[in-house]
mmCIF file of all heavy atoms in Angstrom:
data_model
loop_
_atom_site.group_PDB
_atom_site.id
_atom_site.type_symbol
_atom_site.label_atom_id
_atom_site.label_comp_id
_atom_site.label_asym_id
_atom_site.label_seq_id
_atom_site.Cartn_x
_atom_site.Cartn_y
_atom_site.Cartn_z
ATOM 1 N N ALA A 336 -25.863 -15.477 36.565
ATOM 2 C CA ALA A 336 -26.978 -15.497 37.516
ATOM 3 C C ALA A 336 -28.234 -16.100 36.875
ATOM 4 O O ALA A 336 -28.947 -16.889 37.512
ATOM 5 C CB ALA A 336 -27.266 -14.075 38.007
ATOM 6 N N VAL A 337 -28.502 -15.738 35.619
ATOM 7 C CA VAL A 337 -29.674 -16.286 34.920
ATOM 8 C C VAL A 337 -29.523 -17.796 34.753
ATOM 9 O O VAL A 337 -30.473 -18.562 34.975
ATOM 10 C CB VAL A 337 -29.840 -15.601 33.545
ATOM 11 C CG1 VAL A 337 -30.863 -16.348 32.693
ATOM 12 C CG2 VAL A 337 -30.267 -14.151 33.724
ATOM 13 N N ARG A 338 -28.355 -18.238 34.362
ATOM 14 C CA ARG A 338 -28.128 -19.656 34.143
ATOM 15 C C ARG A 338 -28.354 -20.482 35.412
ATOM 16 O O ARG A 338 -29.027 -21.526 35.374
ATOM 17 C CB ARG A 338 -26.697 -19.875 33.627
ATOM 18 C CG ARG A 338 -26.396 -21.274 33.132
ATOM 19 C CD ARG A 338 -24.933 -21.397 32.718
ATOM 20 N NE ARG A 338 -24.042 -21.160 33.831
ATOM 21 C CZ ARG A 338 -23.766 -22.077 34.773
ATOM 22 N NH1 ARG A 338 -24.336 -23.267 34.710
ATOM 23 N NH2 ARG A 338 -22.950 -21.791 35.752
ATOM 24 N N LEU A 339 -27.818 -19.990 36.536
ATOM 25 C CA LEU A 339 -28.010 -20.705 37.797
ATOM 26 C C LEU A 339 -29.479 -20.719 38.208
ATOM 27 O O LEU A 339 -29.990 -21.730 38.707
ATOM 28 C CB LEU A 339 -27.150 -20.065 38.886
ATOM 29 C CG LEU A 339 -25.636 -20.248 38.728
ATOM 30 C CD1 LEU A 339 -24.889 -19.474 39.789
ATOM 31 C CD2 LEU A 339 -25.259 -21.727 38.781
ATOM 32 N N ALA A 340 -30.150 -19.590 37.984
ATOM 33 C CA ALA A 340 -31.580 -19.527 38.325
ATOM 34 C C ALA A 340 -32.385 -20.507 37.482
ATOM 35 O O ALA A 340 -33.341 -21.142 37.961
ATOM 36 C CB ALA A 340 -32.098 -18.109 38.119
ATOM 37 N N CYS A 341 -31.996 -20.675 36.222
ATOM 38 C CA CYS A 341 -32.709 -21.620 35.341
ATOM 39 C C CYS A 341 -32.490 -23.063 35.780
ATOM 40 O O CYS A 341 -33.371 -23.909 35.633
ATOM 41 C CB CYS A 341 -32.238 -21.431 33.903
ATOM 42 S SG CYS A 341 -32.781 -19.876 33.151
ATOM 43 N N VAL A 342 -31.298 -23.373 36.302
ATOM 44 C CA VAL A 342 -31.028 -24.722 36.795
ATOM 45 C C VAL A 342 -31.831 -24.999 38.053
ATOM 46 O O VAL A 342 -32.380 -26.089 38.237
ATOM 47 C CB VAL A 342 -29.513 -24.904 37.037
ATOM 48 C CG1 VAL A 342 -29.232 -26.226 37.736
ATOM 49 C CG2 VAL A 342 -28.751 -24.825 35.720
ATOM 50 N N ARG A 343 -31.925 -23.995 38.931
ATOM 51 C CA ARG A 343 -32.620 -24.174 40.213
ATOM 52 C C ARG A 343 -34.136 -24.183 40.039
ATOM 53 O O ARG A 343 -34.842 -24.895 40.738
ATOM 54 C CB ARG A 343 -32.207 -23.062 41.173
ATOM 55 C CG ARG A 343 -30.752 -23.169 41.633
ATOM 56 C CD ARG A 343 -30.326 -21.928 42.374
ATOM 57 N NE ARG A 343 -28.933 -22.019 42.812
ATOM 58 C CZ ARG A 343 -28.179 -20.953 43.110
ATOM 59 N NH1 ARG A 343 -28.698 -19.733 43.010
ATOM 60 N NH2 ARG A 343 -26.925 -21.132 43.492
ATOM 61 N N GLN A 344 -34.612 -23.336 39.113
ATOM 62 C CA GLN A 344 -36.063 -23.228 38.912
ATOM 63 C C GLN A 344 -36.374 -23.383 37.426
ATOM 64 O O GLN A 344 -36.667 -22.413 36.725
ATOM 65 C CB GLN A 344 -36.565 -21.881 39.428
ATOM 66 C CG GLN A 344 -36.348 -21.691 40.933
ATOM 67 C CD GLN A 344 -36.757 -20.294 41.371
ATOM 68 O OE1 GLN A 344 -36.288 -19.303 40.833
ATOM 69 N NE2 GLN A 344 -37.657 -20.239 42.351
ATOM 70 N N PRO A 345 -36.313 -24.622 36.932
ATOM 71 C CA PRO A 345 -36.481 -24.828 35.483
ATOM 72 C C PRO A 345 -37.836 -24.380 34.948
ATOM 73 O O PRO A 345 -37.942 -24.079 33.758
ATOM 74 C CB PRO A 345 -36.282 -26.343 35.336
ATOM 75 C CG PRO A 345 -36.431 -26.921 36.704
ATOM 76 C CD PRO A 345 -36.010 -25.868 37.655
ATOM 77 N N GLN A 346 -38.832 -24.323 35.809
ATOM 78 C CA GLN A 346 -40.147 -23.890 35.327
ATOM 79 C C GLN A 346 -40.132 -22.426 34.892
ATOM 80 O O GLN A 346 -40.946 -22.005 34.053
ATOM 81 C CB GLN A 346 -41.217 -24.104 36.415
ATOM 82 C CG GLN A 346 -41.122 -23.178 37.615
ATOM 83 C CD GLN A 346 -40.108 -23.646 38.676
ATOM 84 O OE1 GLN A 346 -39.344 -24.593 38.430
ATOM 85 N NE2 GLN A 346 -40.131 -23.004 39.821
ATOM 86 N N ASP A 347 -39.225 -21.639 35.444
ATOM 87 C CA ASP A 347 -39.134 -20.215 35.083
ATOM 88 C C ASP A 347 -38.116 -19.969 33.974
ATOM 89 O O ASP A 347 -37.965 -18.837 33.513
ATOM 90 C CB ASP A 347 -38.732 -19.386 36.309
ATOM 91 C CG ASP A 347 -39.774 -19.457 37.420
ATOM 92 O OD1 ASP A 347 -40.960 -19.648 37.108
ATOM 93 O OD2 ASP A 347 -39.376 -19.327 38.597
ATOM 94 N N ALA A 348 -37.398 -21.023 33.591
ATOM 95 C CA ALA A 348 -36.281 -20.839 32.668
ATOM 96 C C ALA A 348 -36.680 -20.268 31.323
ATOM 97 O O ALA A 348 -35.995 -19.364 30.812
ATOM 98 C CB ALA A 348 -35.536 -22.162 32.490
ATOM 99 N N PRO A 349 -37.749 -20.754 30.660
ATOM 100 C CA PRO A 349 -38.058 -20.198 29.334
ATOM 101 C C PRO A 349 -38.199 -18.681 29.323
ATOM 102 O O PRO A 349 -37.662 -18.013 28.427
ATOM 103 C CB PRO A 349 -39.369 -20.907 28.974
ATOM 104 C CG PRO A 349 -39.295 -22.206 29.701
ATOM 105 C CD PRO A 349 -38.641 -21.880 31.009
ATOM 106 N N ALA A 350 -38.906 -18.151 30.294
ATOM 107 C CA ALA A 350 -39.098 -16.692 30.341
ATOM 108 C C ALA A 350 -37.784 -15.973 30.617
ATOM 109 O O ALA A 350 -37.478 -14.945 30.001
ATOM 110 C CB ALA A 350 -40.129 -16.336 31.398
ATOM 111 N N LYS A 351 -36.997 -16.512 31.567
ATOM 112 C CA LYS A 351 -35.734 -15.869 31.918
ATOM 113 C C LYS A 351 -34.751 -15.887 30.740
ATOM 114 O O LYS A 351 -34.050 -14.906 30.470
ATOM 115 C CB LYS A 351 -35.109 -16.536 33.138
ATOM 116 C CG LYS A 351 -35.845 -16.291 34.440
ATOM 117 C CD LYS A 351 -35.130 -16.966 35.598
ATOM 118 C CE LYS A 351 -35.853 -16.693 36.901
ATOM 119 N NZ LYS A 351 -35.822 -15.259 37.281
#
Side-chain angles (χ1 to χ4, degrees):
V337 168
R338 190 183 62 80
L339 291 175
C341 290
V342 172
R343 291 170 180 158
Q344 298 175 305
Q346 70 277 9
D347 298 331
K351 290 182 179 294

